Amino acid sequence: MAAPHELDRYRDFLARTQGLSFTDYEALWRWSISELDAFWLSLWDFFELHSDTPFGDALSEDRMPGARWFAGATLNHAARVLRHADAAAAAGRPAILWATEAMLARGERAELSWPELRAQVGALAASLQRLGVQRGDRVVAYLPNIPHTVVAFLACASLGAIWSVCSPDMGPVAVLDRFRQIEPKVLIAVDGYTYAGQAVDRMDTLAEVLGQLPSVEHVLLLPWLDAGVDEQRLAAPLRPAYRFDALAGGDEHLDPLPLPFEHPLWIVYSSGTTGLPKPIVHGHGGIVLEALKLQVLHGDLRPEDRFHWYSSTGWIMWNCQVNALLAGASICLFDGSPGGPREAPDWGTLWRFAALTRASFVGAGAAFYASCLKAGVRPQQQGDLSALRGVGSTGSPLADECYDWIWQQLPAVDGAPIWISCIAGGTDFAGAFLGGLPGAPVRRGQMQCRCLGAAVQAYGEPDAQGRGQVLLDEVGELVCTRPMPSMPLFFWGDVDGRRYRESYFEMYRGPNGEGIWRHGDWLRITPEGGAIIYGRSDATINRHGIRMGTAELYRAVEALPEVLDSLVVDLEYLGRESYMPLFVVLREGLALDAALQQRLRQAIREALSARHVPNEVFQVSAIPRTLSGKKMELPVKKLLLGAAADTVFKRDAMANASCLAWFEDFAARRAERAEH
């Protein structure tokens, strides 16, 4: 008999402790967004959080922006993680299972036990304190997706230092765009990394970055490519350098310090593709509560689970993966390419890793599943996946064909198709607005529900007072009408809060003039209570007055087996007809001939309308994407409307900047034709 879902346990808890009974999930959700104080206090009690100091209400100031949560309460993210160490170790559960590309190729994985995690975190925290790191100091990292990065993050959290990380595949400009804004005291880095079979040395990049970060007083180097690398190459007269392992393996030990609920935990960043990245500050308490709600109630995460979400450290899903430790679960970290070596693509890689680690949940960006489908991957031929009971997807809408592929190719669970949990949220609040609902039906193309505590609606165009009409079963702007504890505390350096307000609260106002969070996605709430995302609202197709999200067109185009990837932009010109080109990446060896062009146009005509058929279709080698895999629609649109490439693209913040040359040439040719 299957174990009860964690959401069911929570509902039983509400009935037992508060006498609350809900007929269905919709009723529970409505209570959670109308009674914010009672809901978030109930989560505090359900998850057995502890404060060393007394506090009263969950929400003492109910406004956006500027809500005040759990005033007077203290807790520490790292303390919540490490409280599981003794029980998990007694049960024989590891804290972290991990592998690199080379390890996986040999069929090897490694483990870090909970006692080892606690010891290394405590030792590194003590070492950082000895180096003068105090509460509020920024500690930045240039590290890959490995256990050492988790140790470093938890050590910083233990002290009350503020963590920020960039993936080592990010170039010096992107790193400096982020770290220069926050003036870090310590830098922790690797000497290089390996991706898709290619080793990349980063010592010269580190020297360049340090040369422009005068605030850095200490450097910790983790040898990763070369065990004999000399950390003193990064030292300066007033900036000593140390070996990471020496500081994380010391004999001193520091326990996590109690911190105010809203003490800053980390700084994460907007993509930075069209301007200087926004340094978004989240607090300890808000992240702990949102993560437990999302991972446990909506993700059905249990202590015995082994949780893997493929991510680089530069994507918020890395933070979300680490947050699974808050529930006492094991996390599975893979450092490398999900698609195998460049010279011999292999989309079975992550499935072999999942089998090797006995993962019970695997998550990835939607593009990963599409790549597996197109490559004809059969996951169960890669290894034993019998431990798997759920898969997750985010980053972009999951195509209907990918739902079918997952259900056909992954093992059934208790005789039923495996659970697919699609989530949508973002870096902005390190959580999800829309997510999974364990035990409920999964419908192709839909996220199952609006998450508890997330007052999400689809709004129509604002009126003169900034008020939007709630839409049901119609496409509108995704808004959140009530505050959540993981919303940003502030943007670093945004002294008067103007940049924060402009980012989310300019478009809509509530009935009393209060702020309404606008997320920037097109959303439809379905009659069944599910939700569909149609793409970014700032990258809309508006053809002849019919507004459409780009995700719908991508679903139609990428359903064709010849198409690996695509991007569309709608170029609107004052006084002229709009122009909508479609760019497609095809399977190796294929060419965009007249027959395929016709099939593409017909697929769009049938799925959307004749109005949404592109003016022209072009074959390209790659679609410009951010490091987290998002299609760069708006920068491409601005480029084709005449903006200079260097003003709209941050090449160091891209996964594939080399593909820009084609788009720059295309823009130049269009501009030249327009002049004549």
Side-chain angles (χ1 to χ4, degrees):
M1 183 176 175
H5 298 297
E6 294 299 294
L7 187 59
D8 294 330
R9 284 205 314 112
Y10 172 63
R11 293 172 72 159
D12 291 344
F13 170 82
L14 291 177
R16 187 175 66 254
T17 61
Q18 300 186 32
L20 294 171
S21 179
F22 300 97
T23 55
D24 54 22
Y25 177 79
E26 181 77 8
L28 175 61
W29 175 76
R30 292 199 177 279
W31 170 78
S32 76
I33 64 167
S34 60
E35 303 294 335
L36 290 184
D37 194 73
F39 169 67
W40 291 103
L41 278 174
S42 77
L43 291 190
W44 181 282
D45 294 337
F46 178 71
F47 291 117
E48 298 178 346
L49 299 183
H50 172 74
S51 173
D52 288 340
T53 52
F55 66 93
D57 298 334
L59 181 58
S60 56
E61 295 182 40
D62 184 357
R63 64 173 186 265
M64 285 194 297
R68 186 82 192 280
W69 295 95
F70 291 89
T74 54
L75 83 168
N76 186 302
H77 183 289
R80 169 70 202 199
V81 167
L82 297 175
R83 67 182 283 188
H84 298 291
D86 291 335
R93 299 194 301 264
I96 303 175
L97 302 98
W98 64 284
T100 63
E101 290 181 345
M103 292 165 65
L104 185 62
R106 299 190 298 267
E108 299 173 1
R109 63 167 174 79
E111 293 185 5
L112 187 70
S113 71
W114 280 93
E116 288 171 329
L117 177 65
R118 179 169 56 191
Q120 291 184 27
V121 168
L124 184 57
S127 296
L128 290 172
Q129 187 181 64
R130 193 170 61 251
L131 295 180
V133 175
Q134 302 175 11
R135 290 187 188 186
D137 286 340
R138 276 76 64 211
V139 174
V140 297
Y142 194 53
L143 296 170
N145 186 29
I146 55 178
H148 312 68
T149 313
V150 180
V151 168
F153 159 61
L154 292 173
C156 291
S158 295
L159 286 174
I162 306 172
W163 167 264
S164 193
V165 61
C166 282
S167 172
D169 57 355
M170 296 173 71
V173 173
V175 173
L176 288 166
D177 278 352
R178 288 155 175 77
F179 289 168
R180 242 190 320 228
Q181 295 187 69
I182 66 173
E183 299 179 303
K185 191 171 191 174
V186 174
L187 171 67
I188 306 173
V190 286
D191 60 324
Y193 68 96
T194 301
Y195 188 86
Q198 303 291 317
V200 182
D201 185 282
R202 279 311 205 193
M203 290 297 285
D204 289 344
T205 298
L206 285 170
E208 181 179 348
V209 166
L210 285 166
Q212 298 186 58
L213 286 179
S215 62
V216 173
E217 298 177 8
H218 303 278
V219 180
L220 280 60
L221 183 67
L222 173 65
W224 199 245
L225 285 186
D226 177 9
V229 67
D230 183 5
E231 69 274 10
Q232 297 310 314
R233 286 173 57 188
L234 302 177
L238 297 177
R239 189 186 66 222
Y242 313 86
R243 286 282 179 124
F244 175 91
D245 286 343
L247 298 190
D251 295 329
E252 290 184 70
H253 183 91
L254 184 71
D255 291 327
L257 306 174
L259 299 167
F261 185 90
E262 293 190 335
H263 184 81
L265 171 65
W266 60 44
I267 299 173
V268 293
Y269 304 89
S270 61
S271 62
T273 55
T274 58
L276 204 61
K278 298 187 289 283
I280 303 167
V281 185
H282 296 131
H284 277 249
I287 292 300
V288 167
L289 272 174
E290 172 63 23
L292 287 170
K293 181 202 74 177
L294 178 61
Q295 299 274 35
V296 176
L297 301 187
H298 289 284
D300 209 26
L301 189 68
R302 305 159 190 170
E304 63 269 22
D305 278 322
R306 294 183 171 190
F307 182 87
H308 169 68
W309 199 295
Y310 177 76
S311 177
S312 77
T313 52
W315 189 22
I316 194 64
M317 294 313 298
W318 179 85
N319 306 64
C320 293
Q321 176 170 244
V322 172
N323 280 343
L325 293 170
L326 291 165
S330 305
I331 59 174
C332 305
L333 308 180
F334 178 68
D335 176 38
S337 167
R342 288 188 177 90
E343 64 276 8
D346 176 11
W347 288 97
T349 299
L350 285 190
W351 301 113
R352 287 196 299 280
F353 175 70
L356 190 64
T357 55
R358 301 289 294 162
S360 55
F361 190 95
V362 168
F368 167 73
Y369 300 104
S371 295
C372 289
L373 184 157
K374 297 292 175 84
V377 173
R378 296 187 175 182
Q380 294 188 77
Q381 293 182 357
Q382 307 297 323
D384 181 4
L385 296 175
S386 59
L388 198 61
R389 63 184 185 89
V391 293
S393 177
T394 193
S396 58
L398 185 67
D400 289 0
E401 296 78 14
C402 291
Y403 282 82
D404 292 332
W405 179 85
I406 290 168
W407 284 327
Q408 292 164 5
Q409 298 296 336
L410 294 180
V413 180
D414 297 325
I418 197 166
W419 178 44
I420 302 175
S421 176
C422 293
I423 63 173
T427 299
D428 315 77
F429 65 107
F433 284 138
L434 310 163
L437 186 55
V442 177
R443 297 176 174 88
R444 290 176 187 82
Q446 291 191 33
M447 281 157 282
Q448 289 177 282
C449 67
R450 289 175 277 191
C451 291
L452 295 175
V456 170
Q457 303 286 356
Y459 265 18
E461 289 292 325
D463 62 16
Q465 288 74 45
R467 297 175 188 170
Q469 177 187 359
V470 174
L471 304 177
L472 181 62
D473 207 20
E474 294 183 51
V475 178
E477 289 273 0
L478 191 164
V479 301
C480 187
T481 62
R482 303 292 304 278
M484 295 170 63
S486 67
M487 285 177 173
L489 301 177
F490 52 88
F491 291 172
W492 195 268
D494 184 25
V495 179
D496 60 2
R498 179 179 176 182
R499 196 178 182 198
Y500 181 27
R501 291 192 301 274
E502 289 176 346
S503 295
Y504 309 110
F505 302 106
E506 290 284 287
M507 188 168 183
Y508 291 103
R509 312 299 297 179
N512 299 313
E514 67 272 19
I516 297 289
W517 177 290
R518 170 188 172 260
H519 198 58
D521 283 333
W522 290 127
L523 167 72
R524 176 163 67 93
I525 303 297
T526 68
E528 303 87 4
I532 301 172
I533 294 287
Y534 291 90
R536 296 294 295 174
S537 57
D538 54 9
T540 309
I541 305 170
N542 187 7
R543 300 285 277 176
H544 311 290
I546 305 297
R547 189 171 63 181
M548 188 75 69
T550 54
E552 291 186 271
L553 188 141
Y554 297 144
R555 283 196 193 99
V557 168
E558 293 172 20
L560 272 64
E562 296 91 342
V563 180
L564 296 177
D565 203 359
S566 61
L567 184 140
V568 67
V569 290
D570 184 16
L571 307 179
E572 300 170 82
Y573 301 94
L574 189 63
R576 283 192 283 156
E577 284 281 316
S578 70
Y579 172 72
M580 191 174 83
L582 170 66
F583 307 99
V584 294
V585 179
L586 302 181
R587 283 179 176 275
E588 189 172 354
L590 296 183
L592 183 63
D593 57 19
L596 181 54
Q597 286 224 33
Q598 180 59 32
R599 291 180 60 216
L600 283 165
R601 294 174 185 277
Q602 185 61 28
I604 295 167
R605 185 178 288 107
E606 292 176 358
L608 281 73
S609 77
R611 301 183 184 204
H612 293 91
V613 173
N615 294 87
E616 294 185 272
V617 184
F618 300 93
Q619 183 176 356
V620 296
S621 61
I623 297 301
R625 288 183 178 269
T626 67
L627 285 170
S628 61
K630 295 185 186 297
K631 300 184 188 193
M632 300 176 71
E633 295 165 316
L634 194 57
V636 170
K637 181 174 181 175
K638 289 182 176 180
L639 174 70
L640 299 186
L641 286 173
D646 289 341
T647 66
V648 293
F649 290 98
K650 297 285 186 176
R651 296 172 195 266
D652 280 11
M654 292 181 62
N656 53 358
S658 60
C659 73
L660 286 184
W662 187 94
F663 287 90
E664 289 181 81
D665 180 65
F666 178 76
R669 285 186 277 115
R670 277 194 54 77
E672 186 177 344
R673 285 202 303 271
E675 290 176 4
H676 296 91

